[in-house]
Amino acid sequence: MAQHSTHPGGASRVRRRALFGTVVLVVLVALAGLAAYLTRDGRGSSGTPAPPPSSPSVTSSAPSASGSSTPYTRPRTLPIPPNTHDPIAYGKAAAAALWSYDTRAYSQPELRKALRRWLTTDAKYADPASVDKVVPSTVLWKEMAANGQFATAKVYEGHFPNAFTRALQEDPGAITQAYVYAVTVSGKQSIAWKGSPAGGAESRSTTLAVQCRPDRPCALVGVMPSVAP
């Protein structure tokens, strides 16, 4: 028989994970349902209209912390979230950060800590565990560091998933309850190491939950368990 966790934060983490899973599911299926779920505790809408959605067809590289755009993000320093109110631009930057690492420049705990800074400060929605899963394990990181391995990312495209777009068109006001957007990003991750500067590359795609409230810059909610078209 399963035992209940006695750790003080155990129940809280379980509730947060359950809430995130619900938000992800509802965001992709119907924003109206998301609004109903998120307002069950009596919180009202801010009444502020949602930020205008970006064109799904826009293709560009993920912006760096300075706001400039480069084809490849070489993470010699830890990734810093951009200051933007555009969920697609933020999603693309977050994907580039999640697909990039440099074992020569910093430790695995330092990268995990840096990526957690991308998360929304709304603890009710943030899912740090989904971000931690993207970072190589401690054991794997040690092996990669011995070979001086690093990865760079090139972002080709970012868009709202089809189901999200349809739901947003059907009920634009529903997004104002939590301002959580689903963003699907595609690109390429290139890996290199000592003695193999060319390394290898593979296509990558991910769907992220991004929160963009009107009164603050966008922030990451979490990484969705599957890619939504």
Side-chain angles (χ1 to χ4, degrees):
M1 179 181 295
Q3 297 181 345
H4 294 289
S5 171
T6 57
H7 192 283
S12 177
R13 285 194 298 271
V14 169
R15 284 194 297 271
R16 188 161 58 248
R17 289 285 292 173
L19 178 62
F20 174 72
T22 303
V23 169
V24 167
L25 176 62
V26 179
V27 160
L28 292 177
V29 176
L31 280 174
L34 174 63
Y37 177 82
L38 293 176
T39 54
R40 65 179 184 177
D41 59 355
R43 292 176 181 266
S45 168
S46 66
T48 309
S54 299
S55 170
S57 61
V58 173
T59 302
S60 65
S61 303
S64 65
S66 64
S68 62
S69 223
T70 54
Y72 283 89
T73 301
R74 177 69 174 272
R76 291 184 180 276
T77 57
L78 291 164
I80 300 173
N83 187 336
T84 179
H85 292 270
D86 184 333
I88 291 181
Y90 192 90
K92 291 164 69 176
L98 293 170
W99 297 339
S100 305
Y101 59 82
D102 194 338
T103 64
R104 306 162 302 174
Y106 41 75
S107 67
Q108 188 254 24
E110 288 175 327
L111 177 58
R112 285 183 58 187
K113 184 177 180 180
L115 290 175
R116 284 195 173 204
R117 293 194 185 103
W118 289 64
L119 289 164
T120 175
T121 55
D122 286 350
K124 180 179 180 180
Y125 307 119
D127 182 32
S130 68
V131 174
D132 290 345
K133 285 182 179 180
V134 181
V135 180
S137 68
T138 303
V139 174
L140 180 56
W141 185 276
K142 185 176 180 180
E143 295 176 356
M144 296 191 307
N147 293 320
Q149 184 168 315
F150 63 93
T152 56
K154 183 174 183 179
V155 173
Y156 294 137
E157 184 266 350
H159 66 274
F160 294 139
N162 296 332
F164 181 88
T165 300
R166 288 195 300 270
L168 189 63
Q169 292 172 342
E170 292 172 2
D171 189 358
I175 194 70
T176 61
Q177 303 303 324
Y179 291 96
V180 175
Y181 297 79
V183 180
T184 295
V185 182
S186 62
K188 181 176 70 173
Q189 182 188 55
S190 299
I191 300 175
W193 53 90
K194 287 188 300 186
S196 180
E202 65 176 7
S203 297
R204 299 293 300 270
S205 292
T206 188
T207 299
L208 307 173
V210 177
Q211 185 181 56
C212 294
R213 292 191 181 277
D215 61 341
R216 68 190 74 165
C218 294
L220 185 63
V221 171
V223 182
M224 295 188 181
S226 59
V227 178

